[in-house]
Amino acid sequence: MPLADYKQYVAMDRLPSIWCPGCGNGTALKALALALAELEIPPDKTLLANGIGCSGRVGDYVRCHRFHGTHGRTLAFVTGIKLVRPEIKAVCFLGDGDCAAIGMSHFVHSARRNVDIATIVVNNFNYGMTGGQFSPLSPHNAITSTSSSGKPEPDIDICKLADVAGANYVSRTTIYHVTEMKNYIKEALGKKGFSFVEIISPCPTYYARYNKLGNIIQQLEWLKDKFIPIEKYNQMEDAEKENFFWRGRLTDRNLPDLLSAYTLGSRG
Amino acid sequence: MKKANVAINKDLCKKCTICVHFCPRKVFRIDQDGYPIISHPEKCTGCRLCFLHCPDFALEVEEELDD
């Protein structure tokens, strides 16, 4: 039964993890392990690459190949790994600061090149490991340790950016929607080309405390109430949209990925 | 109806109590140390929602056939 097989990807002897009680990184790792087990991708053909930050610790708890890149540069390293070892199933497990601030340019160009990488971004709306500073993905007016009266800058929709940059698969879900999260990761892993899943995660230690979102149960309820299906979101009035976020599949297409475009070449 | 056994590993549990609150059948309760314990094992249907929600790999659900 696939459910039992997920443990072959997880280093159970290195647990408990470093993450705070209720942190979504562990839930996302479990969803990834379950998706890998259901697709029967062997651990010796799987590469889990991660950057720096809370989500960067995920590599300590896996049994497949792992790569710990420098801050934000993980996608650039994995592009190189994919060119040399195209048979490897590459998964990049990044945080919101790692992907959208420090590694923004690598992210946009990996999507533009359509490299065959499944990218999972665990977005907890702040830099959790360094004390809760705001990231480019923190919502407008969010209270963090570097914006005590509300974040003055607008945020960026990283999913829409991945879409216009040329990614083959883009979706967004939350830690509350566990089955949907596993299914989206499974779809991303099965897609040839750049696939991207943004997972909104609670940060019980910093973001939730500063923004008075309550305990971990109330934070998960907040995710459940605020993140509505994209079809419903698109029908809303603009004023109403400001109170909600969307989740769902944004992009699903089959453009040729970097390696197949490279092999075929423009010469025909 | 299917029956299931829930096993909690206290060495991995961080007492976040997500399993206690999101169980649709209220199988769990919180003990005096703050850990989840199973108070109504007969109510469990084996939906695995607690297993999927647990961030710390501390829960396992094993199904068994009812006689």
Side-chain angles (χ1 to χ4, degrees), chain A residues 2-246:
Chain A
L3 264 175
D5 293 341
Y6 83 99
K7 279 189 178 172
Q8 62 179 315
Y9 303 93
V10 183
M12 296 299 286
D13 54 324
R14 289 188 216 141
L15 295 170
S17 62
I18 194 174
W19 299 309
C20 310
C23 174
N25 278 305
T27 322
L29 172 62
K30 184 183 276 177
L32 172 64
L34 285 167
L36 286 165
E38 284 185 19
L39 290 171
E40 294 176 1
I41 301 167
D44 60 337
K45 293 281 178 216
T46 308
L47 166 75
L48 188 111
N50 49 269
I52 307 291
C54 292
S55 60
R57 302 309 295 263
V58 72
D60 296 352
Y61 312 116
V62 291
R63 282 238 174 277
C64 53
H65 296 294
R66 57 83 59 112
F67 180 86
H68 200 143
T70 46
H71 207 354
R73 274 67 175 151
T74 314
L75 282 164
F77 289 123
V78 178
T79 304
I81 292 169
K82 270 306 276 192
L83 289 173
V84 185
R85 297 284 298 274
E87 76 281 5
I88 290 271
K89 176 55 77 181
V91 184
C92 276
F93 200 98
L94 310 172
D96 54 326
D98 198 39
C99 172
I102 300 97
M104 176 60 101
S105 154
H106 293 299
F107 168 71
V108 173
H109 289 292
S110 303
R112 179 183 61 83
R113 290 186 189 116
N114 215 357
V115 199
D116 185 18
I117 302 171
T119 307
I120 297 161
V121 169
V122 178
N123 177 6
N124 59 5
F125 294 135
N126 67 161
Y127 294 88
M129 193 156 274
T130 50
Q133 294 85 357
F134 66 75
S135 83
L137 301 189
S138 311
H140 189 45
N141 288 329
I143 296 163
T144 63
S145 62
T146 41
S147 61
S148 52
S149 52
K151 185 190 168 199
E153 311 162 9
D155 57 314
I156 185 167
D157 191 329
I158 192 90
C159 289
K160 286 183 179 164
L161 183 70
D163 176 43
V164 293
N168 261 357
Y169 178 85
V170 181
S171 63
R172 176 193 281 165
T173 182
T174 78
I175 289 293
Y176 174 81
H177 303 91
V178 273
T179 314
E180 189 183 75
M181 171 164 66
K182 188 193 76 188
N183 291 340
Y184 283 174
I185 294 176
K186 212 171 140 183
E187 285 172 19
L189 289 169
K191 181 65 88 175
K192 188 94 173 154
F194 194 81
S195 47
F196 178 78
V197 185
E198 183 187 10
I199 301 167
I200 312 293
S201 162
C203 179
T205 307
Y206 291 111
Y207 189 81
R209 192 158 53 86
Y210 286 132
N211 289 282
K212 300 189 169 51
L213 297 179
N215 62 24
I216 182 65
I217 311 301
Q218 287 159 322
Q219 290 160 42
L220 288 171
E221 296 280 358
W222 182 83
L223 290 177
K224 177 189 167 191
D225 297 337
K226 286 285 175 184
F227 285 81
I228 55 172
I230 188 166
E231 298 81 12
K232 203 173 157 188
Y233 181 84
N234 286 338
Q235 288 167 0
M236 281 182 164
E237 301 290 324
D238 281 354
E240 209 181 350
K241 277 182 183 176
E242 285 180 13
N243 299 322
F244 291 96
F245 304 88
W246 62 268

Side-chain angles (χ1 to χ4, degrees), chain A residues 1 3 6-7 10 12 15-17 19 21-23 26-27 29-30 34 176 178-179 216-217 220-221, chain B residues 11-19 21-22 48-60 63:
Chain A
M1 190 173 179
L3 264 175
Y6 83 99
K7 279 189 178 172
V10 183
M12 296 299 286
L15 295 170
S17 62
W19 299 309
C23 174
T27 322
L29 172 62
K30 184 183 276 177
L34 285 167
Y176 174 81
V178 273
T179 314
I216 182 65
I217 311 301
L220 288 171
E221 296 280 358
Chain B
D11 293 340
L12 297 181
C13 180
K14 291 180 188 162
K15 309 186 206 177
C16 69
T17 68
I18 292 174
C19 53
H21 287 87
F22 286 102
R48 293 177 199 273
L49 206 59
C50 54
F51 162 78
L52 290 168
H53 267 296
C54 177
D56 294 302
F57 299 90
L59 270 170
E60 290 292 332
E63 271 180 29

